[in-house]
DNA sequence: AGACAACAACCTGTCATACAGGTTTTGAGG
DNA sequence: CCTCAAAACCTGTATGACAGGTTGTTGTCT
C-alpha cells in the first residue's frame, strides 16, 4: 500500500485528483441516480490502493461541491442538483473583485428575461400561484426590508423554477447570495415609500403577465424591473 | 486540542465546513487578491483549534472548487476565477440525468444571444481577429471533426471573452464540456459536406457581424446557428 | 564585496493508527 | 413473526511520522 504508481497511470496531478475522477467515473459508469449510495471509503481505499486520507479528501471535495451528500455513519450518496458550488464561485469572484455586482446583474437580466418568458408559457397553475403569492407577500411586508428581500429572491427563484429548466434555476439561485448582499442598498436609494411601492408593483405586473400566459408582456415588465434595479445600484455608486 | 466546542459556536454541521467558512472569511476580511498567499495549514490548525486533518480537508475542498491553488511545498494562494467547479456541477447534472443536453443548449442560446451582441459592441480589434481566426480555422480543417470542434468551442469562448463580462465567460466555458461530448453527434447528422460547410459559414457570418460592430445582425446569425444546432441534436434523438 | 553552494526551516502530500459516535445488520429470545 | 439488543460497519476527528518540494540564510570561496 505504499507504491501509488503501481495501479493505473497518471500520478502527476496528485492522488486526490485521481480519486475524485475515479468516484465521478464510478457514478457515471454505474449510472447512479440521486440518492444512490457510493462505495464506502474503505472500499475505495482498497480499490485505488491509496490511504484513507486520500480517499477522504476526494469524498470531502465532492461533498463541498455538493455533488455527493455525506453524513456520519451512512455511506455517501449521489446528490441532487444543488447550487452550492456555483454560489461559492460567484461569491469568490465578487470578494476578490474579479467580477462586479453590475456584471452579475447584467447576466441576471439576460437570463431572467428568458426565464420569465418561459414561465409565462410553461407555468403550472400552482407555480403561477406561488409567484403571485411572493409578490403579494412583498407588498404586505413592505415596511420590513429584510422580509421584502427574501420574498423578492423567492419570487425570482420561483419564476426560474416555472421555466422548467433546472439549469436556469441553478444559475438564478447561484446569484441569490450576491442579491442578498446588495439588495438593501438598492432599496434605500428608493427614498420614498412611493418609489418602493412602485417597485413592488413591478413585481405584481410580472406575476400577472405570467398568470395570463403572455411571455412578451412578462419579458417587458422584467426588463423594466431590471433597468430600474440597475439604475438604483448605479445611483448608490455600486460598480 | 480535543475540545472543538471551546472556540466559536456552531459545531453541528461539522468542523470542516466551519474551517471552509473561516478560510473564505479570511480571504474577504484581508481583502486578498488572486495570487496572494493564505495562512499555512499549521497556522490555521492553531487558529481554529482543530486537527490538521480538518484544516486539510477544508483547503482541499476549496482547491477542488478552484477557489484556491495548492502545490507541494508552497502555501496555498487565492485562485483566479475558474470554471472548474461549474463544469463539474453541470456535468454531474447531465450524467445523473437531472438535466438534459437540450436544456443546456437552451441556456447557451439565451446567453450567447447576449454575449454575441455585447461582443459586437465592445470587442477590441484583437478579439475580433481571434474570433475570425477561429471561424477560419474551422473551414481549413473541416475534414477533421475533432479539430473543427475545438475551434468551434474556442470560437464561442472568444465571443464570451469579448463581451467583457467574466460571468458570461464563466458560464459559457462551463458548458464546453457538455459540448465536447455531444458535438460530434450534431456534426454527423449534417450528412453532406455541403451541410457541414453551411454550418461553418454560419460561424463566419457571426464573426463578420462582430467585426462590423452590428449587434443586431450578430444576434440574428447566432440565433440561426443555435436553431440549426438544436435541430441537428433533435434529429439525432438527443433529448 | 559579491557570487554561489550547502543547509536549515518550513510547507504540503501521503500513510498508518486509533478511537468516538452514528447507522445498519443480525440474530437470539419471546 | 416480532422485538430488541449486540455486533459489524461506517464516517468524523486526532495524532504522529516521514518524504519531498520551496525558500531564505549562512558561510565559504573567489
Amino acid at each position: 500500500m505504499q507504491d501509488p504508481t503501481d495501479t493505473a497511470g497518471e500520478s502527476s496531478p496528485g492522488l486526490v485528483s485521481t480519486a475524485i475522477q475515479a468516484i465521478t467515473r464510478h457514478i457515471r459508469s454505474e449510472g447512479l441516480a440521486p440518492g444512490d449510495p457510493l462505495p464506502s471509503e474503505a472500499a475505495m481505499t482498497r480499490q485505488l490502493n491509496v490511504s484513507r486520507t486520500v480517499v477522504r479528501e476526494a469524498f470531502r471535495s465532492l461533498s463541498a461541491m455538493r455533488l455527493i451528500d455525506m453524513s456520519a455513519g451512512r455511506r455517501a450518496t449521489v446528490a441532487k442538483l444543488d447550487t452550492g458550488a456555483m454560489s461559492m464561485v460567484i461569491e469568490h469572484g465578487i470578494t476578490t473583485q474579479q467580477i462586479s455586482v453590475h456584471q452579475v446583474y447584467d447576466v441576471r437580466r439576460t437570463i431572467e428575461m428568458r426565464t420569465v418568458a418561459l414561465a409565462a408559457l410553461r407555468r403550472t397553475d400552482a407555480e403561477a400561484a406561488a409567484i403571485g403569492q411572493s409578490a403579494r407577500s412583498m407588498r404586505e411586508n413592505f415596511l420590513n426590508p429584510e422580509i421584502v428581500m427574501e420574498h423578492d429572491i423567492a419570487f425570482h427563484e420561483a419564476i426560474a423554477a416555472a421555466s422548467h429548466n433546472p439549469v436556469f434555476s441553478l444559475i438564478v439561485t447561484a446569484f441569490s447570495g450576491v442579491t442578498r448582499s446588495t439588495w438593501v442598498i438598492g432599496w434605500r436609494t428608493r427614498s420614498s415609500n412611493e418609489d418602493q411601492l412602485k417597485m413592488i408593483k413591478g413585481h405584481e405586473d410580472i406575476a400577472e403577465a405570467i398568470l395570463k400566459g403572455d411571455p412578451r408582456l412578462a419579458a417587458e415588465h422584467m426588463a423594466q424591473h431590471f433597468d430600474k434595479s440597475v439604475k438604483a445600484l448605479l445611483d448608490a455608486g455600486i460598480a
Side-chain angles (χ1 to χ4, degrees), chain A residues 142-198:
Chain A
F142 95 102
L143 288 176
N144 190 333
E146 290 286 318
I147 295 184
V148 176
M149 176 181 79
E150 288 306 330
H151 285 298
D152 189 354
I153 290 172
F155 176 85
H156 289 277
E157 290 183 1
I159 290 173
S163 78
H164 293 190
N165 184 333
V167 186
F168 281 124
S169 286
L170 214 53
I171 299 175
V172 168
T173 306
F175 290 147
S176 295
V178 177
T179 302
R180 261 191 200 87
S181 62
T182 59
W183 190 91
V184 178
I185 297 168
W187 183 257
R188 288 218 194 92
T189 65
R190 296 173 168 97
S191 40
S192 65
N193 283 357
E194 193 186 342
D195 270 1
Q196 293 168 349
L197 282 172
K198 210 176 288 177

Short mmCIF file of all heavy atoms in Angstrom, two decimals, chain A residues 142-198:
data_model
loop_
_atom_site.label_atom_id
_atom_site.label_comp_id
_atom_site.label_asym_id
_atom_site.label_seq_id
_atom_site.Cartn_x
_atom_site.Cartn_y
_atom_site.Cartn_z
N PHE A 142 -44.10 45.45 3.31
CA PHE A 142 -43.18 46.38 2.67
C PHE A 142 -42.50 47.34 3.64
O PHE A 142 -41.60 48.05 3.26
CB PHE A 142 -43.90 47.14 1.54
CG PHE A 142 -44.44 48.46 1.95
CD1 PHE A 142 -43.76 49.63 1.61
CD2 PHE A 142 -45.61 48.55 2.68
CE1 PHE A 142 -44.27 50.85 1.98
CE2 PHE A 142 -46.10 49.76 3.06
CZ PHE A 142 -45.43 50.94 2.71
N LEU A 143 -42.90 47.30 4.88
CA LEU A 143 -42.21 48.13 5.87
C LEU A 143 -40.99 47.42 6.45
O LEU A 143 -40.20 48.03 7.14
CB LEU A 143 -43.18 48.51 7.00
CG LEU A 143 -44.23 49.53 6.58
CD1 LEU A 143 -45.21 49.79 7.72
CD2 LEU A 143 -43.56 50.84 6.15
N ASN A 144 -40.88 46.15 6.16
CA ASN A 144 -39.76 45.38 6.70
C ASN A 144 -38.85 44.89 5.57
O ASN A 144 -39.08 43.83 4.98
CB ASN A 144 -40.32 44.19 7.48
CG ASN A 144 -39.23 43.48 8.27
OD1 ASN A 144 -38.06 43.53 7.87
ND2 ASN A 144 -39.61 42.82 9.34
N PRO A 145 -37.82 45.67 5.27
CA PRO A 145 -36.95 45.39 4.10
C PRO A 145 -36.44 43.96 4.06
O PRO A 145 -36.48 43.33 3.01
CB PRO A 145 -35.80 46.38 4.27
CG PRO A 145 -36.37 47.49 5.06
CD PRO A 145 -37.38 46.88 5.99
N GLU A 146 -35.97 43.44 5.19
CA GLU A 146 -35.41 42.09 5.22
C GLU A 146 -36.39 41.08 4.64
O GLU A 146 -36.03 40.22 3.84
CB GLU A 146 -35.10 41.70 6.67
CG GLU A 146 -33.93 42.46 7.28
CD GLU A 146 -32.60 41.97 6.73
OE1 GLU A 146 -32.42 40.75 6.59
OE2 GLU A 146 -31.74 42.82 6.41
N ILE A 147 -37.63 41.20 5.06
CA ILE A 147 -38.64 40.24 4.63
C ILE A 147 -39.01 40.46 3.17
O ILE A 147 -39.18 39.51 2.40
CB ILE A 147 -39.89 40.33 5.54
CG1 ILE A 147 -39.50 39.91 6.96
CG2 ILE A 147 -41.01 39.47 5.00
CD1 ILE A 147 -40.65 39.88 7.93
N VAL A 148 -39.09 41.72 2.78
CA VAL A 148 -39.37 42.01 1.37
C VAL A 148 -38.30 41.37 0.50
O VAL A 148 -38.59 40.74 -0.52
CB VAL A 148 -39.41 43.53 1.11
CG1 VAL A 148 -39.60 43.80 -0.37
CG2 VAL A 148 -40.53 44.17 1.92
N MET A 149 -37.05 41.51 0.94
CA MET A 149 -35.94 40.95 0.16
C MET A 149 -36.08 39.45 -0.01
O MET A 149 -35.94 38.93 -1.13
CB MET A 149 -34.61 41.26 0.84
CG MET A 149 -33.44 40.64 0.13
SD MET A 149 -31.89 40.99 0.95
CE MET A 149 -31.93 39.84 2.30
N GLU A 150 -36.37 38.75 1.07
CA GLU A 150 -36.49 37.30 0.97
C GLU A 150 -37.61 36.90 0.01
O GLU A 150 -37.47 35.95 -0.75
CB GLU A 150 -36.71 36.68 2.36
CG GLU A 150 -35.46 36.70 3.24
CD GLU A 150 -34.24 36.06 2.58
OE1 GLU A 150 -34.40 35.14 1.76
OE2 GLU A 150 -33.11 36.54 2.84
N HIS A 151 -38.70 37.63 0.05
CA HIS A 151 -39.78 37.31 -0.89
C HIS A 151 -39.39 37.68 -2.32
O HIS A 151 -39.77 37.00 -3.27
CB HIS A 151 -41.07 38.03 -0.47
CG HIS A 151 -41.73 37.42 0.73
ND1 HIS A 151 -42.20 36.13 0.73
CD2 HIS A 151 -41.98 37.91 1.97
CE1 HIS A 151 -42.73 35.86 1.92
NE2 HIS A 151 -42.59 36.92 2.70
N ASP A 152 -38.61 38.74 -2.45
CA ASP A 152 -38.12 39.13 -3.77
C ASP A 152 -37.28 37.99 -4.35
O ASP A 152 -37.47 37.56 -5.50
CB ASP A 152 -37.29 40.41 -3.65
CG ASP A 152 -36.95 41.00 -5.02
OD1 ASP A 152 -37.25 40.36 -6.03
OD2 ASP A 152 -36.36 42.10 -5.05
N ILE A 153 -36.35 37.50 -3.56
CA ILE A 153 -35.48 36.42 -4.02
C ILE A 153 -36.30 35.18 -4.35
O ILE A 153 -36.13 34.55 -5.40
CB ILE A 153 -34.42 36.10 -2.95
CG1 ILE A 153 -33.42 37.25 -2.87
CG2 ILE A 153 -33.70 34.79 -3.27
CD1 ILE A 153 -32.43 37.15 -1.71
N ALA A 154 -37.24 34.86 -3.46
CA ALA A 154 -38.10 33.70 -3.71
C ALA A 154 -38.90 33.88 -4.99
O ALA A 154 -39.12 32.94 -5.76
CB ALA A 154 -39.04 33.49 -2.52
N PHE A 155 -39.32 35.11 -5.24
CA PHE A 155 -40.06 35.44 -6.45
C PHE A 155 -39.27 35.07 -7.70
O PHE A 155 -39.75 34.35 -8.57
CB PHE A 155 -40.36 36.95 -6.43
CG PHE A 155 -41.05 37.48 -7.66
CD1 PHE A 155 -42.44 37.41 -7.77
CD2 PHE A 155 -40.34 38.08 -8.67
CE1 PHE A 155 -43.08 37.92 -8.90
CE2 PHE A 155 -40.97 38.59 -9.80
CZ PHE A 155 -42.35 38.51 -9.90
N HIS A 156 -38.03 35.52 -7.74
CA HIS A 156 -37.20 35.25 -8.93
C HIS A 156 -36.87 33.76 -9.05
O HIS A 156 -36.84 33.22 -10.17
CB HIS A 156 -35.93 36.09 -8.88
CG HIS A 156 -36.18 37.55 -9.11
ND1 HIS A 156 -36.31 38.11 -10.36
CD2 HIS A 156 -36.36 38.57 -8.24
CE1 HIS A 156 -36.54 39.40 -10.26
NE2 HIS A 156 -36.57 39.72 -8.97
N GLU A 157 -36.65 33.12 -7.93
CA GLU A 157 -36.35 31.69 -7.99
C GLU A 157 -37.59 30.90 -8.43
O GLU A 157 -37.47 29.91 -9.15
CB GLU A 157 -35.84 31.19 -6.63
CG GLU A 157 -34.44 31.72 -6.30
CD GLU A 157 -33.90 31.18 -4.98
OE1 GLU A 157 -34.60 30.39 -4.32
OE2 GLU A 157 -32.76 31.56 -4.60
N ALA A 158 -38.75 31.36 -8.00
CA ALA A 158 -39.98 30.68 -8.40
C ALA A 158 -40.21 30.81 -9.90
O ALA A 158 -40.68 29.87 -10.56
CB ALA A 158 -41.17 31.25 -7.64
N ILE A 159 -39.86 31.96 -10.44
CA ILE A 159 -40.00 32.14 -11.89
C ILE A 159 -39.05 31.20 -12.63
O ILE A 159 -39.42 30.55 -13.60
CB ILE A 159 -39.73 33.61 -12.28
CG1 ILE A 159 -40.87 34.49 -11.78
CG2 ILE A 159 -39.55 33.74 -13.79
CD1 ILE A 159 -40.62 35.98 -11.97
N ALA A 160 -37.82 31.13 -12.11
CA ALA A 160 -36.85 30.23 -12.74
C ALA A 160 -37.34 28.79 -12.69
O ALA A 160 -37.24 28.04 -13.67
CB ALA A 160 -35.49 30.35 -12.05
N ALA A 161 -37.92 28.41 -11.56
CA ALA A 161 -38.43 27.04 -11.43
C ALA A 161 -39.55 26.80 -12.44
O ALA A 161 -39.65 25.74 -13.03
CB ALA A 161 -38.93 26.81 -10.01
N ALA A 162 -40.37 27.84 -12.65
CA ALA A 162 -41.51 27.70 -13.57
C ALA A 162 -41.06 27.65 -15.02
O ALA A 162 -41.86 27.33 -15.91
CB ALA A 162 -42.49 28.85 -13.36
N SER A 163 -39.80 27.97 -15.28
CA SER A 163 -39.29 27.84 -16.65
C SER A 163 -39.11 26.37 -17.00
O SER A 163 -38.92 26.01 -18.15
CB SER A 163 -37.96 28.58 -16.81
OG SER A 163 -36.90 27.82 -16.24
N HIS A 164 -39.12 25.55 -15.98
CA HIS A 164 -38.98 24.10 -16.16
C HIS A 164 -37.65 23.73 -16.79
O HIS A 164 -37.55 22.72 -17.50
CB HIS A 164 -40.14 23.53 -16.98
CG HIS A 164 -41.46 23.61 -16.28
ND1 HIS A 164 -42.59 22.99 -16.73
CD2 HIS A 164 -41.82 24.24 -15.14
CE1 HIS A 164 -43.60 23.24 -15.91
NE2 HIS A 164 -43.14 24.01 -14.94
N ASN A 165 -36.65 24.55 -16.56
CA ASN A 165 -35.30 24.21 -17.00
C ASN A 165 -34.38 24.37 -15.79
O ASN A 165 -34.06 25.49 -15.39
CB ASN A 165 -34.84 25.13 -18.14
CG ASN A 165 -33.47 24.74 -18.67
OD1 ASN A 165 -32.67 24.17 -17.94
ND2 ASN A 165 -33.20 25.06 -19.92
N PRO A 166 -33.96 23.27 -15.19
CA PRO A 166 -33.22 23.35 -13.93
C PRO A 166 -31.89 24.09 -14.05
O PRO A 166 -31.37 24.59 -13.06
CB PRO A 166 -32.98 21.88 -13.56
CG PRO A 166 -33.24 21.11 -14.81
CD PRO A 166 -34.20 21.89 -15.62
N VAL A 167 -31.36 24.18 -15.26
CA VAL A 167 -30.11 24.94 -15.42
C VAL A 167 -30.34 26.41 -15.13
O VAL A 167 -29.51 27.07 -14.50
CB VAL A 167 -29.51 24.74 -16.83
CG1 VAL A 167 -28.16 25.41 -16.90
CG2 VAL A 167 -29.42 23.27 -17.17
N PHE A 168 -31.47 26.92 -15.58
CA PHE A 168 -31.80 28.31 -15.26
C PHE A 168 -31.96 28.47 -13.75
O PHE A 168 -31.44 29.43 -13.17
CB PHE A 168 -33.10 28.73 -15.97
CG PHE A 168 -32.92 29.08 -17.41
CD1 PHE A 168 -33.66 28.43 -18.39
CD2 PHE A 168 -32.02 30.06 -17.81
CE1 PHE A 168 -33.51 28.75 -19.74
CE2 PHE A 168 -31.85 30.38 -19.15
CZ PHE A 168 -32.60 29.73 -20.12
N SER A 169 -32.65 27.55 -13.13
CA SER A 169 -32.82 27.62 -11.68
C SER A 169 -31.47 27.65 -10.98
O SER A 169 -31.23 28.43 -10.05
CB SER A 169 -33.61 26.42 -11.16
OG SER A 169 -34.97 26.56 -11.50
N LEU A 170 -30.61 26.78 -11.45
CA LEU A 170 -29.28 26.68 -10.86
C LEU A 170 -28.58 28.04 -10.88
O LEU A 170 -28.06 28.50 -9.86
CB LEU A 170 -28.47 25.67 -11.69
CG LEU A 170 -27.46 24.79 -11.00
CD1 LEU A 170 -28.06 24.06 -9.84
CD2 LEU A 170 -26.87 23.81 -12.01
N ILE A 171 -28.57 28.66 -12.03
CA ILE A 171 -27.84 29.92 -12.18
C ILE A 171 -28.50 31.04 -11.39
O ILE A 171 -27.84 31.79 -10.67
CB ILE A 171 -27.73 30.29 -13.67
CG1 ILE A 171 -26.96 29.19 -14.42
CG2 ILE A 171 -27.05 31.64 -13.84
CD1 ILE A 171 -26.90 29.39 -15.91
N VAL A 172 -29.81 31.14 -11.51
CA VAL A 172 -30.51 32.21 -10.79
C VAL A 172 -30.28 32.07 -9.29
O VAL A 172 -29.99 33.04 -8.60
CB VAL A 172 -32.02 32.18 -11.12
CG1 VAL A 172 -32.79 33.07 -10.16
CG2 VAL A 172 -32.26 32.61 -12.56
N THR A 173 -30.40 30.85 -8.80
CA THR A 173 -30.21 30.64 -7.37
C THR A 173 -28.77 30.94 -6.95
O THR A 173 -28.53 31.44 -5.85
CB THR A 173 -30.56 29.18 -7.00
OG1 THR A 173 -31.87 28.90 -7.48
CG2 THR A 173 -30.52 28.99 -5.50
N ALA A 174 -27.84 30.65 -7.84
CA ALA A 174 -26.44 30.93 -7.51
C ALA A 174 -26.21 32.41 -7.29
O ALA A 174 -25.32 32.81 -6.54
CB ALA A 174 -25.52 30.41 -8.60
N PHE A 175 -27.02 33.23 -7.92
CA PHE A 175 -26.85 34.67 -7.79
C PHE A 175 -27.54 35.22 -6.55
O PHE A 175 -27.34 36.38 -6.19
CB PHE A 175 -27.39 35.39 -9.03
CG PHE A 175 -26.56 35.16 -10.26
CD1 PHE A 175 -27.14 35.10 -11.51
CD2 PHE A 175 -25.17 35.02 -10.17
CE1 PHE A 175 -26.37 34.90 -12.65
CE2 PHE A 175 -24.40 34.81 -11.31
CZ PHE A 175 -25.00 34.75 -12.55
N SER A 176 -28.36 34.42 -5.91
CA SER A 176 -29.14 34.93 -4.79
C SER A 176 -28.26 35.49 -3.68
O SER A 176 -28.60 36.48 -3.04
CB SER A 176 -30.04 33.83 -4.23
OG SER A 176 -31.00 33.46 -5.21
N GLY A 177 -27.10 34.85 -3.47
CA GLY A 177 -26.19 35.34 -2.43
C GLY A 177 -25.75 36.76 -2.69
O GLY A 177 -25.73 37.60 -1.78
N VAL A 178 -25.41 37.03 -3.94
CA VAL A 178 -25.00 38.39 -4.31
C VAL A 178 -26.15 39.36 -4.08
O VAL A 178 -25.96 40.45 -3.53
CB VAL A 178 -24.55 38.44 -5.79
CG1 VAL A 178 -24.20 39.87 -6.17
CG2 VAL A 178 -23.38 37.51 -6.02
N THR A 179 -27.33 38.92 -4.48
CA THR A 179 -28.50 39.77 -4.29
C THR A 179 -28.67 40.12 -2.81
O THR A 179 -28.91 41.27 -2.45
CB THR A 179 -29.76 39.05 -4.79
OG1 THR A 179 -29.58 38.71 -6.17
CG2 THR A 179 -30.98 39.93 -4.66
N ARG A 180 -28.51 39.09 -1.97
CA ARG A 180 -28.70 39.32 -0.53
C ARG A 180 -27.75 40.38 0.01
O ARG A 180 -28.10 41.10 0.93
CB ARG A 180 -28.47 38.02 0.24
CG ARG A 180 -29.74 37.32 0.61
CD ARG A 180 -29.60 36.21 1.57
NE ARG A 180 -30.79 35.36 1.43
CZ ARG A 180 -30.89 34.37 0.56
NH1 ARG A 180 -29.87 34.05 -0.20
NH2 ARG A 180 -32.02 33.70 0.44
N SER A 181 -26.56 40.47 -0.57
CA SER A 181 -25.59 41.42 -0.01
C SER A 181 -25.67 42.79 -0.66
O SER A 181 -24.90 43.69 -0.31
CB SER A 181 -24.18 40.84 -0.13
OG SER A 181 -23.84 40.66 -1.48
N THR A 182 -26.56 42.97 -1.63
CA THR A 182 -26.65 44.28 -2.27
C THR A 182 -28.07 44.82 -2.28
O THR A 182 -28.28 46.01 -2.54
CB THR A 182 -26.16 44.23 -3.73
OG1 THR A 182 -26.94 43.29 -4.46
CG2 THR A 182 -24.70 43.83 -3.79
N TRP A 183 -29.01 43.96 -2.01
CA TRP A 183 -30.40 44.33 -2.19
C TRP A 183 -30.78 45.58 -1.39
O TRP A 183 -31.41 46.51 -1.91
CB TRP A 183 -31.29 43.16 -1.75
CG TRP A 183 -32.73 43.31 -2.10
CD1 TRP A 183 -33.36 42.89 -3.22
CD2 TRP A 183 -33.74 43.94 -1.30
NE1 TRP A 183 -34.68 43.21 -3.18
CE2 TRP A 183 -34.95 43.86 -2.03
CE3 TRP A 183 -33.75 44.59 -0.06
CZ2 TRP A 183 -36.15 44.38 -1.54
CZ3 TRP A 183 -34.93 45.10 0.42
CH2 TRP A 183 -36.11 45.00 -0.31
N VAL A 184 -30.35 45.60 -0.15
CA VAL A 184 -30.76 46.70 0.74
C VAL A 184 -30.29 48.04 0.20
O VAL A 184 -30.98 49.06 0.32
CB VAL A 184 -30.21 46.47 2.16
CG1 VAL A 184 -30.60 47.62 3.06
CG2 VAL A 184 -30.75 45.17 2.72
N ILE A 185 -29.13 48.02 -0.43
CA ILE A 185 -28.61 49.27 -1.00
C ILE A 185 -29.57 49.85 -2.02
O ILE A 185 -29.89 51.04 -2.00
CB ILE A 185 -27.24 49.01 -1.65
CG1 ILE A 185 -26.25 48.55 -0.58
CG2 ILE A 185 -26.73 50.26 -2.35
CD1 ILE A 185 -24.96 48.00 -1.14
N GLY A 186 -30.04 48.96 -2.91
CA GLY A 186 -30.98 49.41 -3.92
C GLY A 186 -32.27 49.91 -3.29
O GLY A 186 -32.85 50.91 -3.72
N TRP A 187 -32.69 49.23 -2.25
CA TRP A 187 -33.94 49.60 -1.57
C TRP A 187 -33.82 50.99 -0.96
O TRP A 187 -34.74 51.80 -1.05
CB TRP A 187 -34.24 48.57 -0.49
CG TRP A 187 -35.52 48.77 0.27
CD1 TRP A 187 -35.67 49.27 1.51
CD2 TRP A 187 -36.84 48.46 -0.20
NE1 TRP A 187 -37.00 49.28 1.87
CE2 TRP A 187 -37.75 48.79 0.83
CE3 TRP A 187 -37.36 47.93 -1.39
CZ2 TRP A 187 -39.12 48.62 0.71
CZ3 TRP A 187 -38.74 47.75 -1.50
CH2 TRP A 187 -39.59 48.10 -0.47
N ARG A 188 -32.68 51.27 -0.39
CA ARG A 188 -32.52 52.56 0.30
C ARG A 188 -32.53 53.74 -0.66
O ARG A 188 -32.93 54.84 -0.30
CB ARG A 188 -31.21 52.56 1.09
CG ARG A 188 -31.25 51.67 2.32
CD ARG A 188 -30.51 52.28 3.49
NE ARG A 188 -30.29 51.28 4.53
CZ ARG A 188 -29.20 50.54 4.59
NH1 ARG A 188 -28.22 50.71 3.70
NH2 ARG A 188 -29.07 49.65 5.54
N THR A 189 -32.03 53.51 -1.89
CA THR A 189 -32.00 54.64 -2.82
C THR A 189 -33.41 55.00 -3.28
O THR A 189 -33.63 56.07 -3.82
CB THR A 189 -31.16 54.31 -4.07
OG1 THR A 189 -31.79 53.26 -4.80
CG2 THR A 189 -29.76 53.89 -3.68
N ARG A 190 -34.33 54.03 -3.08
CA ARG A 190 -35.72 54.38 -3.36
C ARG A 190 -36.26 55.05 -2.09
O ARG A 190 -36.93 54.44 -1.26
CB ARG A 190 -36.53 53.12 -3.68
CG ARG A 190 -36.05 52.44 -4.95
CD ARG A 190 -36.77 51.12 -5.15
NE ARG A 190 -36.56 50.55 -6.47
CZ ARG A 190 -35.65 49.62 -6.76
NH1 ARG A 190 -34.84 49.18 -5.82
NH2 ARG A 190 -35.53 49.15 -7.98
N SER A 191 -35.94 56.31 -2.01
CA SER A 191 -36.12 57.01 -0.75
C SER A 191 -37.57 56.96 -0.25
O SER A 191 -37.82 56.67 0.91
CB SER A 191 -35.66 58.46 -0.90
OG SER A 191 -36.08 58.95 -2.15
N SER A 192 -38.51 57.25 -1.12
CA SER A 192 -39.89 57.36 -0.65
C SER A 192 -40.60 56.01 -0.66
O SER A 192 -40.24 55.11 -1.41
CB SER A 192 -40.66 58.31 -1.56
OG SER A 192 -40.74 57.76 -2.85
N ASN A 193 -41.58 55.90 0.20
CA ASN A 193 -42.43 54.72 0.19
C ASN A 193 -43.08 54.54 -1.17
O ASN A 193 -43.31 53.43 -1.63
CB ASN A 193 -43.51 54.83 1.26
CG ASN A 193 -42.94 54.56 2.64
OD1 ASN A 193 -41.76 54.24 2.75
ND2 ASN A 193 -43.76 54.70 3.66
N GLU A 194 -43.35 55.67 -1.79
CA GLU A 194 -44.00 55.62 -3.11
C GLU A 194 -43.11 54.86 -4.09
O GLU A 194 -43.57 53.97 -4.81
CB GLU A 194 -44.23 57.04 -3.60
CG GLU A 194 -45.16 57.12 -4.79
CD GLU A 194 -45.23 58.56 -5.31
OE1 GLU A 194 -44.85 59.48 -4.54
OE2 GLU A 194 -45.62 58.75 -6.47
N ASP A 195 -41.83 55.21 -4.11
CA ASP A 195 -40.90 54.52 -5.01
C ASP A 195 -40.83 53.03 -4.70
O ASP A 195 -40.79 52.20 -5.60
CB ASP A 195 -39.50 55.14 -4.88
CG ASP A 195 -39.32 56.29 -5.86
OD1 ASP A 195 -40.29 56.58 -6.60
OD2 ASP A 195 -38.22 56.87 -5.89
N GLN A 196 -40.82 52.75 -3.41
CA GLN A 196 -40.70 51.36 -3.01
C GLN A 196 -41.94 50.58 -3.43
O GLN A 196 -41.84 49.45 -3.91
CB GLN A 196 -40.49 51.28 -1.49
CG GLN A 196 -39.13 51.88 -1.09
CD GLN A 196 -38.99 52.08 0.40
OE1 GLN A 196 -39.97 51.98 1.14
NE2 GLN A 196 -37.78 52.38 0.84
N LEU A 197 -43.09 51.20 -3.28
CA LEU A 197 -44.31 50.51 -3.68
C LEU A 197 -44.38 50.34 -5.20
O LEU A 197 -44.91 49.36 -5.71
CB LEU A 197 -45.55 51.28 -3.18
CG LEU A 197 -45.82 51.05 -1.70
CD1 LEU A 197 -46.92 51.98 -1.20
CD2 LEU A 197 -46.22 49.59 -1.46
N LYS A 198 -43.79 51.31 -5.91
CA LYS A 198 -43.77 51.21 -7.36
C LYS A 198 -42.94 50.00 -7.79
O LYS A 198 -43.30 49.28 -8.73
CB LYS A 198 -43.16 52.50 -7.95
CG LYS A 198 -43.71 52.85 -9.33
CD LYS A 198 -43.15 54.18 -9.84
CE LYS A 198 -43.73 55.37 -9.10
NZ LYS A 198 -43.14 56.65 -9.56
#
